[in-house]
Each structure stands twice: as C-alpha cells, then as structure tokens.
Amino acid sequence: MIRFEHVNKSYGGNPILKDLNFTIEDGQFVVLIGPSGCGKTTTLKTINRLIEPDSGTISIDGKDIHQQDKVELRRHIGYVIQQIGLFPNMTVAQNICVVPKLLKYSKTQCDEIVRDLLKMVNMEQYADKYPSELSGGQQQRIGVLRALAASPPIVLMDEPFSALDPMTRETLQDEVKSLQQKLNKTIVFVSHDMGEALKLADVIIFMEGGRIVQMASPEEMLEHPANDLVRNFLGKHAPDAPAPSNVEHFMRTNLITVKKNRGVLECAERMARGSVDTLLVTDEAGRYAGTISIGDIRHWGKELTSIEPMVRQSARTVRVGDDARESFDYLLDSGANYVVVLNEDDTIAGIVTKTSVARSVAENLWGDAR
C-alpha cells in the first residue's frame, strides 16, 4: 500500500504539489493524468525519492520511505521511462538482469528470470541480441521486463509508450495490463492520454495545479466527471459525447507499406522488424496496389525476386468519409483483420481494425440497437 499524507513540493517558491492525500492499494493499476505542469510526474518521482517533498509523509506498507536508504528503496521499485535507457553494450538478457545481479541473484536464477519474462512477451529468441538490433517497441518491452526482473511489488511508469506509433502503443498497453494482472503488481502510471488511462487503470487520479481534482474508477469518472476540465479531457469517451461515424475517426494511420517492385527478402525483414504478417503494397505513384503476406512469401518467395507477382487485392477497401458501421459489420461478420481506407486519389489513408470496433464503437455508435 502506498499512502500520501499532506505532501507538498515547491520549486523557487512555485508550489508544484499541494497537500496531496491519497492511498493506492496493493495490486492496483493507478494512472496519474492531467494537463501539462499539473504535478503528475513529480508525484510519481516522489515514490522512489527521485524527488524529495518539502513536507508530508509517503509510506509504503506503513513504513516512511524517507527513513529508508534511497538505493535500497529503488532496488525494490521498478521504474520505466519514455527514453527506455537500455545499456547499449549489454545484451537483452544482461539488461533484464541488472537489478537481480545487484541483489546477488545466482546465474541460474538470472537465466530463469530472463527465460520466463521473455516468454511472456514472445521474445525468447532475442535474449542474446543487443538494443541496437531491436525496434523501438521491442526495446520498450525489454525496459518493462527489466523493471519487473527482481519481482518488485511496485512499478512506476512515466509515459512509457508516448513516443511509439499507435499500433505498437496499443500492443504494449495490452501486454503491460496482462503482465500486471498475472504478476499482481502495483503499477503507478503517468499518462497524458485519457484513452490510455481508461484502458489501463483500475483507478484514475486526475490532477490540476498540484492538487487532486478527482480520484475514481474509469467508469465512475466517465459517468460523473468532477468538473469541466475532467469532462474536456474525457472528450469523445464521455457517455454524452457525440460519436463520430466516419471511418477516418477510427482508423490507424501509422502503417508499414512497401512498393510493389521491392525484393522478397527486404519485405520479409520489414515484417519481422514490425512484428506483422502482412504489408500494404503501393505502386510507384503511392496508390494502393494490394497486400503481401508472410504466408505467400514462404510459399513462393524462393522462386521470385520481386513481390509484385504475389500481391493480392483481396482486402476490403473503403474511402475516407464512408460510414464506419459498414466496415465494423464486415470485420465482425467476415473474420477479416482489417479494412483498408483509401483517399480520393487511391493513396492509403489508414486501416480500420477489430480493435477499433472494440474500443470505439460498442455503445457510442449504435447503443442497444444491436
């Protein structure tokens, strides 16, 4: 349990935290959110004493953290930041076991930790690779695993996914929530994205001007926002918000595309780096030409130098401005993974996926009509 009692912090006479009082229960996923400068990151960093409050008490399991050795405290609190901070001269396995080694774990214990954690995120084959050989999303996964390696009861995360593309960010959000539930960790997570907070949190702490405006479950905050600022942050997520109905409001735009004259091995490598099994293919003018799958590359790749003969035009396409419900119905009924959204000039605008349906449509778009 983490307890804040009358915690205050100022810089140069400017109050940053103002009489904070709240409790985080064991095993909760708590998200700190609010406008820039509201004090959320400062609050997070007081938990592992990267920032010392001017007054007040912060206790963990009833023990005042300011009576504990800083280094020892931090070895029992995981910490993940946006910049990741992997050691470039260490392998993935060595990076994961930095803290366990400081705690004098045996080599056998370290090997077991690496194996078990990498298995949880399907990265067993990366143990001996170096950070420079990983994508941004893969590096951030290792940053999360490193924070979990010594099995700390508390993990702090400071906007860990904000620099990643939307598809990778969603995947990592799912993985972190799954890990938290499997391992029963207390996670305190700073975010500027209300959609992320609603997806991850058991409890959301909304801050403004160094104070807590509202501390509530996602459902309670959606139903009863404390003031207009909270309501504005909730935006499209609020129950009474008008729901957009065009495909562009729900599509993902950060995509991996390739021109149809590219080589087979190059495309396979791009799929591996992006952790995808399909690429969207364009012609030389950037217009949508179809898709190429890893299955086709495995079957036909050795006989070809270019992917062009393998490009398929079987994916469903729609246009920017089209009604989203038709695409959602198609995805739910057909079992397809995505619908390709095209601009008027046939260039690719994005894709609509089943995740779009689950996150954005269920109630807002058609309510109880289905």
Side-chain angles (χ1 to χ4, degrees):
M1 179 188 295
I2 305 169
R3 187 186 299 276
F4 277 60
E5 297 176 277
H6 305 292
V7 172
N8 296 275
K9 178 66 180 178
S10 297
Y11 288 111
N14 180 34
I16 303 299
L17 303 181
K18 303 174 184 177
D19 196 35
L20 293 187
N21 293 277
F22 64 90
T23 299
I24 297 173
E25 302 292 342
D26 291 344
Q28 282 188 327
F29 198 125
V30 175
V31 175
L32 298 166
I33 195 168
S36 297
C38 69
K40 53 188 183 289
T41 293
T42 301
T43 301
L44 184 86
K45 289 182 176 180
T46 60
I47 297 173
N48 63 359
R49 296 186 63 188
L50 287 175
I51 292 176
E52 299 280 10
D54 298 331
S55 61
T57 303
I58 301 170
S59 58
I60 296 177
D61 295 333
K63 299 177 182 178
D64 186 345
I65 64 172
H66 300 98
Q67 303 301 318
Q68 302 177 44
D69 178 74
K70 285 183 183 180
V71 175
E72 187 64 21
L73 174 72
R74 290 170 191 161
R75 286 178 180 174
H76 294 87
I77 298 177
Y79 187 45
V80 186
I81 58 176
Q82 180 181 321
Q83 294 79 15
I84 308 170
L86 298 181
F87 297 106
N89 60 328
M90 291 185 180
T91 65
V92 164
Q94 290 168 336
N95 266 285
I96 289 173
C97 277
V98 167
V99 174
K101 283 190 174 182
L102 290 172
L103 295 174
K104 309 299 183 184
Y105 284 37
S106 69
K107 184 179 185 304
T108 300
Q109 288 174 302
C110 287
D111 290 344
E112 184 177 347
I113 288 167
V114 169
R115 184 177 62 251
D116 290 347
L117 289 178
L118 288 177
K119 187 175 181 180
M120 286 185 180
V121 294
N122 298 312
M123 288 185 67
E124 301 99 309
Q125 69 272 32
Y126 292 88
D128 296 322
K129 292 189 178 295
Y130 287 87
S132 61
E133 300 176 84
L134 308 180
S135 68
Q138 289 168 338
Q139 289 182 37
Q140 197 60 284
R141 282 181 177 86
I142 301 307
V144 171
L145 297 184
R146 184 175 62 183
L148 295 170
S151 195
I154 297 167
V155 179
L156 310 180
M157 297 188 172
D158 190 0
E159 300 199 54
F161 310 141
S162 60
L164 301 173
D165 66 86
M167 294 179 72
T168 303
R169 185 162 66 241
E170 281 198 20
T171 300
L172 283 173
Q173 288 167 355
D174 292 337
E175 289 177 359
V176 164
K177 186 64 176 178
S178 176
L179 287 170
Q180 184 253 345
Q181 292 173 335
K182 286 178 183 176
L183 302 174
N184 194 34
K185 301 299 180 186
T186 303
I187 293 184
V188 186
F189 189 108
V190 168
S191 179
H192 65 276
D193 181 344
M194 184 56 85
E196 183 172 67
L198 293 170
K199 178 178 181 178
L200 293 175
D202 300 313
V203 174
I204 298 173
I205 298 177
F206 194 100
M207 299 183 68
E208 180 189 13
R211 299 184 187 276
I212 294 176
V213 175
Q214 186 170 11
M215 182 172 179
S217 68
E219 184 175 359
E220 182 182 347
M221 193 167 285
L222 283 166
E223 292 293 334
H224 305 290
N227 60 20
D228 287 340
L229 179 62
V230 177
R231 189 174 293 106
N232 289 337
F233 253 76
L234 288 166
K236 66 180 181 181
H237 305 285
D240 56 353
S245 59
N246 295 337
V247 288
E248 59 265 30
H249 292 289
F250 302 103
M251 68 186 184
R252 295 177 176 176
T253 57
N254 207 308
L255 310 173
I256 303 176
T257 63
V258 64
K259 287 187 167 54
K260 65 181 181 181
N261 63 353
R262 306 309 295 180
V264 172
L265 289 177
E266 175 191 348
C267 292
E269 178 62 24
R270 292 194 69 179
M271 289 182 191
R273 289 201 309 269
S275 299
V276 296
D277 61 6
T278 304
L279 296 177
L280 300 180
V281 183
T282 65
D283 63 17
E284 290 304 312
R287 296 183 296 260
Y288 174 68
T291 62
I292 177 73
S293 73
I294 192 62
D296 286 339
I297 287 178
R298 286 186 64 190
H299 193 268
W300 304 105
K302 291 182 180 180
E303 303 172 18
L304 301 166
T305 56
S306 164
I307 63 167
E308 186 167 1
M310 293 183 287
V311 175
R312 297 175 181 266
Q313 295 184 332
S314 54
R316 178 79 163 248
T317 61
V318 295
R319 299 280 177 181
V320 168
D322 285 355
D323 191 285
R325 179 168 177 171
E326 184 179 340
S327 293
F328 294 147
D329 287 342
Y330 169 75
L331 289 171
L332 293 171
D333 296 340
S334 70
N337 292 318
Y338 58 87
V339 171
V340 181
V341 183
L342 303 180
N343 295 306
E344 288 186 13
D345 59 359
D346 286 339
T347 56
I348 300 169
I351 60 172
V352 175
T353 69
K354 288 180 179 177
T355 304
S356 307
V357 183
R359 291 187 61 195
S360 305
V361 178
E363 295 181 5
N364 283 347
L365 194 53
W366 51 71
D368 297 327
R370 293 182 65 82

